[in-house]
Coordinates of all heavy atoms in Angstrom, one line a residue:
Y144 N 58.5 -78.2 -56.6 CA 59.2 -79.4 -56.1 C 58.5 -80.1 -54.9 O 58.7 -81.3 -54.7 CB 60.7 -79.1 -55.7 CG 61.4 -78.5 -56.9 CD1 61.6 -77.2 -57.1 CD2 62.0 -79.4 -57.8 CE1 62.3 -76.7 -58.2 CE2 62.7 -78.9 -58.9 CZ 62.9 -77.6 -59.1 OH 63.6 -77.1 -60.2
L145 N 57.8 -79.3 -54.1 CA 57.3 -79.8 -52.8 C 56.4 -81.0 -53.0 O 56.6 -82.1 -52.4 CB 56.6 -78.7 -52.0 CG 57.6 -77.7 -51.4 CD1 56.9 -76.5 -50.9 CD2 58.4 -78.4 -50.3
P146 N 55.3 -81.0 -53.9 CA 54.4 -82.1 -54.0 C 55.1 -83.4 -54.5 O 54.8 -84.5 -54.0 CB 53.4 -81.6 -55.0 CG 53.5 -80.2 -55.1 CD 54.9 -79.8 -54.7
K147 N 56.2 -83.2 -55.3 CA 56.8 -84.4 -55.9 C 57.9 -84.9 -55.0 O 58.1 -86.1 -54.8 CB 57.4 -84.0 -57.3 CG 57.9 -85.2 -58.0 CD 58.1 -84.9 -59.5 CE 58.8 -86.1 -60.2 NZ 59.5 -85.8 -61.4
Y148 N 58.8 -84.0 -54.5 CA 59.9 -84.5 -53.7 C 59.8 -84.4 -52.2 O 60.7 -84.9 -51.5 CB 61.2 -83.7 -54.2 CG 61.5 -84.0 -55.6 CD1 61.1 -83.1 -56.7 CD2 62.2 -85.2 -56.0 CE1 61.4 -83.4 -58.0 CE2 62.4 -85.5 -57.3 CZ 62.0 -84.6 -58.3 OH 62.3 -84.9 -59.6
A149 N 58.8 -83.7 -51.8 CA 58.5 -83.7 -50.3 C 57.1 -83.9 -50.0 O 56.4 -83.0 -49.3 CB 59.1 -82.4 -49.8
P150 N 56.5 -85.0 -50.5 CA 55.0 -85.1 -50.4 C 54.6 -85.2 -48.9 O 53.5 -84.8 -48.6 CB 54.7 -86.5 -51.1 CG 56.0 -87.2 -51.1 CD 57.1 -86.1 -51.2
H151 N 55.4 -85.7 -48.0 CA 55.0 -85.9 -46.6 C 55.0 -84.5 -45.9 O 54.1 -84.3 -45.1 CB 55.9 -86.9 -45.9 CG 55.9 -88.2 -46.5 ND1 56.8 -88.7 -47.4 CD2 54.9 -89.2 -46.4 CE1 56.5 -89.9 -47.8 NE2 55.4 -90.2 -47.2
I152 N 55.9 -83.7 -46.3 CA 55.9 -82.3 -45.7 C 54.7 -81.6 -46.3 O 53.9 -80.9 -45.6 CB 57.2 -81.6 -46.0 CG1 58.4 -82.3 -45.3 CG2 57.1 -80.1 -45.6 CD1 59.7 -81.7 -45.7
W153 N 54.6 -81.7 -47.6 CA 53.5 -81.0 -48.4 C 52.1 -81.3 -47.8 O 51.3 -80.4 -47.6 CB 53.6 -81.4 -49.8 CG 52.6 -80.7 -50.7 CD1 51.6 -81.3 -51.4 CD2 52.5 -79.3 -51.1 NE1 50.9 -80.4 -52.1 CE2 51.4 -79.2 -51.9 CE3 53.3 -78.2 -50.7 CZ2 51.0 -77.9 -52.5 CZ3 52.9 -77.0 -51.2 CH2 51.8 -76.9 -52.1
N154 N 51.9 -82.6 -47.5 CA 50.6 -83.0 -47.0 C 50.4 -82.8 -45.5 O 49.2 -82.6 -45.1 CB 50.3 -84.4 -47.4 CG 50.2 -84.6 -48.9 OD1 49.7 -83.8 -49.6 ND2 50.8 -85.7 -49.4
A155 N 51.5 -82.7 -44.8 CA 51.3 -82.6 -43.3 C 51.0 -81.2 -42.9 O 50.4 -80.9 -41.9 CB 52.6 -83.0 -42.6
I156 N 51.3 -80.2 -43.8 CA 51.1 -78.8 -43.5 C 49.7 -78.4 -44.1 O 49.5 -78.5 -45.3 CB 52.2 -77.9 -43.9 CG1 53.5 -78.3 -43.2 CG2 51.9 -76.4 -43.7 CD1 54.8 -77.6 -43.6
P157 N 48.8 -77.9 -43.2 CA 47.5 -77.5 -43.7 C 47.6 -76.4 -44.8 O 48.5 -75.6 -44.8 CB 46.8 -76.9 -42.5 CG 47.5 -77.5 -41.3 CD 48.9 -77.7 -41.8
E158 N 46.7 -76.4 -45.7 CA 46.7 -75.5 -46.9 C 46.7 -74.1 -46.5 O 47.4 -73.2 -47.1 CB 45.5 -75.8 -47.8 CG 45.7 -75.3 -49.2 CD 44.4 -75.5 -50.1 OE1 43.6 -76.4 -49.7 OE2 44.3 -74.7 -51.1
D159 N 45.9 -73.7 -45.4 CA 45.8 -72.3 -45.1 C 47.2 -71.8 -44.5 O 47.5 -70.6 -44.6 CB 44.7 -72.1 -44.0 CG 44.9 -72.8 -42.7 OD1 45.3 -74.0 -42.8 OD2 44.6 -72.2 -41.7
I160 N 48.0 -72.7 -44.0 CA 49.4 -72.3 -43.6 C 50.2 -72.1 -44.8 O 51.0 -71.1 -44.9 CB 50.0 -73.4 -42.6 CG1 49.2 -73.3 -41.3 CG2 51.5 -73.1 -42.4 CD1 49.8 -74.2 -40.2
W161 N 50.1 -73.0 -45.8 CA 50.9 -72.8 -47.1 C 50.5 -71.4 -47.7 O 51.3 -70.7 -48.2 CB 50.7 -73.9 -48.1 CG 51.4 -75.2 -47.8 CD1 50.9 -76.4 -47.6 CD2 52.8 -75.3 -47.7 NE1 51.9 -77.3 -47.4 CE2 53.1 -76.7 -47.4 CE3 53.9 -74.5 -47.7 CZ2 54.4 -77.2 -47.3 CZ3 55.2 -75.0 -47.6 CH2 55.4 -76.3 -47.3
N162 N 49.2 -71.1 -47.5 CA 48.7 -69.8 -48.1 C 49.4 -68.6 -47.4 O 49.7 -67.6 -48.1 CB 47.2 -69.7 -48.1 CG 46.6 -70.6 -49.1 OD1 47.2 -71.1 -50.0 ND2 45.3 -71.0 -48.9
V163 N 49.6 -68.7 -46.1 CA 50.3 -67.7 -45.4 C 51.8 -67.6 -45.9 O 52.4 -66.6 -46.1 CB 50.2 -67.8 -43.9 CG1 51.0 -66.7 -43.2 CG2 48.7 -67.7 -43.5
V164 N 52.4 -68.8 -46.0 CA 53.8 -68.9 -46.5 C 53.9 -68.2 -47.9 O 54.9 -67.5 -48.2 CB 54.3 -70.3 -46.6 CG1 55.6 -70.4 -47.2 CG2 54.3 -71.0 -45.2
R165 N 52.9 -68.4 -48.7 CA 52.9 -67.8 -50.1 C 52.9 -66.3 -50.0 O 53.4 -65.7 -51.0 CB 51.7 -68.3 -50.8 CG 51.7 -69.8 -51.3 CD 50.4 -70.2 -51.9 NE 50.2 -71.6 -52.1 CZ 50.7 -72.2 -53.2 NH1 51.3 -71.6 -54.1 NH2 50.5 -73.5 -53.3
T166 N 52.5 -65.7 -48.9 CA 52.4 -64.2 -48.9 C 53.9 -63.6 -48.8 O 54.0 -62.4 -48.9 CB 51.6 -63.7 -47.7 OG1 52.2 -64.1 -46.5 CG2 50.1 -64.1 -47.8
S167 N 54.9 -64.5 -48.6 CA 56.2 -64.0 -48.5 C 56.9 -63.8 -49.9 O 58.0 -63.4 -50.0 CB 57.1 -64.9 -47.6 OG 57.3 -66.1 -48.2
D168 N 56.2 -64.2 -50.9 CA 56.7 -64.0 -52.3 C 56.5 -62.5 -52.6 O 55.4 -62.0 -52.7 CB 55.9 -64.8 -53.3 CG 56.4 -64.6 -54.7 OD1 57.2 -63.7 -54.9 OD2 55.8 -65.3 -55.6
P169 N 57.7 -61.8 -52.8 CA 57.6 -60.3 -53.0 C 56.9 -59.9 -54.3 O 56.4 -58.8 -54.4 CB 59.0 -59.9 -52.9 CG 59.8 -61.1 -53.2 CD 59.0 -62.2 -52.8
T170 N 56.9 -60.8 -55.2 CA 56.3 -60.5 -56.5 C 54.7 -60.6 -56.5 O 54.1 -60.3 -57.4 CB 56.8 -61.4 -57.7 OG1 56.3 -62.7 -57.5 CG2 58.3 -61.4 -57.7
G171 N 54.3 -61.2 -55.4 CA 52.8 -61.3 -55.2 C 52.3 -62.5 -56.0 O 51.1 -62.7 -56.1
K172 N 53.2 -63.4 -56.5 CA 52.7 -64.5 -57.3 C 52.4 -65.7 -56.4 O 52.0 -66.8 -56.9 CB 53.8 -64.9 -58.4 CG 53.8 -63.9 -59.5 CD 54.8 -64.4 -60.6 CE 55.0 -63.3 -61.6 NZ 56.5 -63.2 -62.0
G173 N 52.7 -65.6 -55.1 CA 52.4 -66.7 -54.2 C 53.2 -67.9 -54.3 O 52.8 -69.0 -54.1
R174 N 54.5 -67.7 -54.7 CA 55.4 -68.8 -54.8 C 55.9 -69.1 -53.3 O 56.0 -68.2 -52.5 CB 56.6 -68.5 -55.7 CG 56.2 -68.1 -57.1 CD 55.4 -69.1 -57.8 NE 56.3 -70.2 -58.3 CZ 55.8 -71.3 -58.9 NH1 54.5 -71.4 -59.2 NH2 56.6 -72.3 -59.3
I175 N 56.4 -70.4 -53.1 CA 56.8 -70.8 -51.8 C 58.4 -70.8 -51.7 O 59.0 -71.5 -52.5 CB 56.3 -72.2 -51.5 CG1 54.7 -72.1 -51.3 CG2 56.9 -72.7 -50.2 CD1 54.1 -73.4 -51.3
Y176 N 58.9 -70.0 -50.8 CA 60.4 -69.9 -50.7 C 60.9 -70.4 -49.4 O 62.1 -70.4 -49.2 CB 60.8 -68.4 -50.8 CG 60.7 -67.9 -52.3 CD1 59.6 -67.2 -52.7 CD2 61.7 -68.2 -53.2 CE1 59.4 -66.8 -54.0 CE2 61.6 -67.8 -54.5 CZ 60.5 -67.1 -54.9 OH 60.4 -66.7 -56.2
Y177 N 60.1 -70.8 -48.5 CA 60.6 -71.4 -47.3 C 59.8 -72.6 -46.7 O 58.6 -72.6 -47.1 CB 60.9 -70.4 -46.2 CG 59.6 -69.8 -45.5 CD1 59.0 -70.4 -44.4 CD2 59.1 -68.6 -45.9 CE1 57.9 -69.9 -43.8 CE2 58.0 -68.0 -45.3 CZ 57.4 -68.7 -44.3 OH 56.3 -68.1 -43.7
L178 N 60.4 -73.5 -46.0 CA 59.7 -74.5 -45.3 C 59.4 -74.0 -43.9 O 60.3 -73.7 -43.1 CB 60.5 -75.8 -45.2 CG 60.8 -76.4 -46.6 CD1 61.9 -77.4 -46.6 CD2 59.5 -77.1 -47.1
P179 N 58.1 -73.9 -43.5 CA 57.8 -73.3 -42.2 C 58.0 -74.4 -41.1 O 57.7 -75.6 -41.3 CB 56.4 -72.9 -42.3 CG 55.8 -73.9 -43.3 CD 56.9 -74.3 -44.2

Side-chain angles (χ1 to χ4, degrees):
Y144 298 100
L145 287 168
K147 189 166 176 203
Y148 296 100
H151 299 99
I152 297 174
W153 181 246
N154 293 323
I156 297 178
E158 199 185 339
D159 61 318
I160 291 187
W161 282 123
N162 287 342
V163 175
V164 172
R165 288 173 190 275
T166 62
S167 68
D168 179 356
T170 69
K172 287 184 188 140
R174 308 297 288 178
I175 294 168
Y176 286 98
Y177 70 85
L178 295 161

